């Protein structure tokens, strides 16, 4: 075999090996990734909204302590079986910190609606979010600051908002944060009110430490997400306030 033929054979072997690794080392669909694995469906808390300015899809998720290999999967269209993992293809997106990393956020421009799933690995399991139906075209997220704040109880303000203002509400997610954007409390309620920090009507709590007392004359921020059953955020409320 002459020198040229040897080079051709060597290149062919390298190319074949590279293609083999590309196809087998990186699972392409969610069904391939989870095959034979222990999974926890609903093990990732996640939802998505449309950006008020760009219209991009913003997918938020809560990365539990110790979570690794965080992944983003999506379907090609919304008109598919959202429970069939073979319809979900991995997309490599950068995850940005939200509330200084307490939550994570994927940002994606898209001209069509789809189903989205976020996964990560924890304690030997693949944690999988419930499917998220993007509605950035058919029902873009409403953004406003329409919340009433009752401060008659010092340091424990009560936040009240219109129930189901955008329609299709299933649950509300509330965050109280400081001026440095640090999350102080993160809670879910079915009711359209929440008192800091009274958990009597809280149905899900991602607050990992006892929240600090709110300090008189200090500024804070209230964020509300009105989430539908298919995990689309119908409404976002952002309101700055100062403790009396």
């Amino acid at each position: 075999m002459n020198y040229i033929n040897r080079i051709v054979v060597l290149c062919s072997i390298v190319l074949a090996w590279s293609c083999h690794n590309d196809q087998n080392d990186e699972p392409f669909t969610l069904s391939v990734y989870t095959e034979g694995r222990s999974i926890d469906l609903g093990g990732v808390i996640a939802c998505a909204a449309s950006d008020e300015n760009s219209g991009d899809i913003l997918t938020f998720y809560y990365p539990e302590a110790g979570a690794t290999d965080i992944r983003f999967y999506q379907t090609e269209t919304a008109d598919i079986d959202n429970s069939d993992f073979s319809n979900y293809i991995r997309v490599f997106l950068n995850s940005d910190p939200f509330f200084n990393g307490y939550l994570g956020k994927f940002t994606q421009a898209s001209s069509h609606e789809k189903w989205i799933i976020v996964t990560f690995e924890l304690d030997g399991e693949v944690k999988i979010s419930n499917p998220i139906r993007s509605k950035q075209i058919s029902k873009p997220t409403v953004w406003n600051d329409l919340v009433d704040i009752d401060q008659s109880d010092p340091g424990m303000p009560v936040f009240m908002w219109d129930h189901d203002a955008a329609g299709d509400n299933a649950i509300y997610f509330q965050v109280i944060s400081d001026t440095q954007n640090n999350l102080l409390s993160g809670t879910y309620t079915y009711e359209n009110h929440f008192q800091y920090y009274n958990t009597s009507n809280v149905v899900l709590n991602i607050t990992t430490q006892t929240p600090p007392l709110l300090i008189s004359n200090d500024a804070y921020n209230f964020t509300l997400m009105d989430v539908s059953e298919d995990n689309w955020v119908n409404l976002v409320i952002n309101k700055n306030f100062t403790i009396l």
Side-chain angles (χ1 to χ4, degrees):
M1 183 181 295
N2 61 34
Y3 178 77
I4 297 298
N5 288 338
R6 288 178 180 176
I7 293 296
V8 171
V9 171
L10 179 61
C11 289
S12 298
I13 292 173
V14 171
L15 180 60
W17 179 85
S18 175
C19 291
H20 173 80
N21 277 308
D22 287 346
Q23 293 172 0
N24 293 285
D25 287 354
E26 180 53 56
F28 190 52
T29 64
L30 184 55
S31 59
V32 172
Y33 175 49
T34 57
E35 185 176 0
R37 305 287 302 276
S38 175
I39 67 172
D40 178 14
L41 185 59
V44 179
I45 299 172
C47 62
S50 58
D51 184 86
E52 61 180 324
N53 297 314
S54 66
D56 290 350
I57 302 172
L58 310 176
T59 302
F60 307 99
Y61 65 93
Y62 172 54
E64 294 184 60
T68 62
D69 198 10
I70 298 168
R71 299 184 176 207
F72 182 98
Y73 287 86
Q74 67 178 28
T75 62
E76 291 187 359
T77 70
D79 300 322
I80 52 84
D81 179 0
N82 66 11
S83 65
D84 184 348
F85 287 174
S86 67
N87 288 323
Y88 290 86
I89 300 169
R90 186 180 184 187
V91 178
F92 291 85
L93 296 176
N94 290 326
S95 175
D96 298 315
F98 191 57
F99 291 113
N100 290 332
Y102 204 101
L103 303 179
K105 180 182 70 173
F106 294 104
T107 302
Q108 179 192 44
S110 180
S111 60
H112 61 277
E113 298 183 349
K114 64 194 74 176
W115 290 92
I116 294 165
I117 281 178
V118 178
T119 72
F120 56 67
E121 297 193 17
L122 181 66
D123 298 331
E125 286 188 316
V126 179
K127 306 286 187 178
I128 303 173
S129 74
N130 290 319
I132 303 165
R133 171 64 156 86
S134 78
K135 300 176 186 175
Q136 76 278 13
I137 299 169
S138 59
K139 191 174 185 180
T141 304
V142 176
W143 295 69
N144 62 41
D145 62 354
L146 302 179
V147 58
D148 293 325
I149 304 176
D150 179 354
Q151 295 200 50
S152 57
D153 189 346
M156 296 184 67
V158 178
F159 304 90
M160 298 164 289
W161 54 91
D162 287 342
H163 176 60
D164 202 22
D168 200 26
N169 169 261
I171 200 167
Y172 297 108
F173 175 49
Q174 310 91 21
V175 171
I176 312 300
S177 55
D178 62 21
T179 54
Q180 286 74 48
N181 209 32
N182 296 307
L183 185 147
L184 305 181
S185 76
T187 51
Y188 286 81
T189 67
Y190 292 131
E191 298 175 316
N192 59 324
H193 60 89
F194 169 72
Q195 181 177 25
Y196 183 92
Y197 179 68
N198 181 345
T199 59
S200 60
N201 69 334
V202 170
V203 294
L204 180 62
N205 196 345
I206 64 168
T207 312
T208 57
Q209 298 180 345
T210 302
L213 297 175
L214 301 185
I215 301 171
S216 179
N217 297 319
D218 278 6
Y220 297 92
N221 188 70
F222 172 78
T223 302
L224 176 83
M225 294 186 186
D226 171 342
V227 186
S228 65
E229 188 173 357
D230 51 16
N231 299 300
W232 179 250
V233 178
N234 306 304
L235 167 71
V236 174
I237 294 175
N238 273 314
K239 180 75 171 182
N240 295 321
F241 65 98
T242 301
I243 293 296
L244 301 177

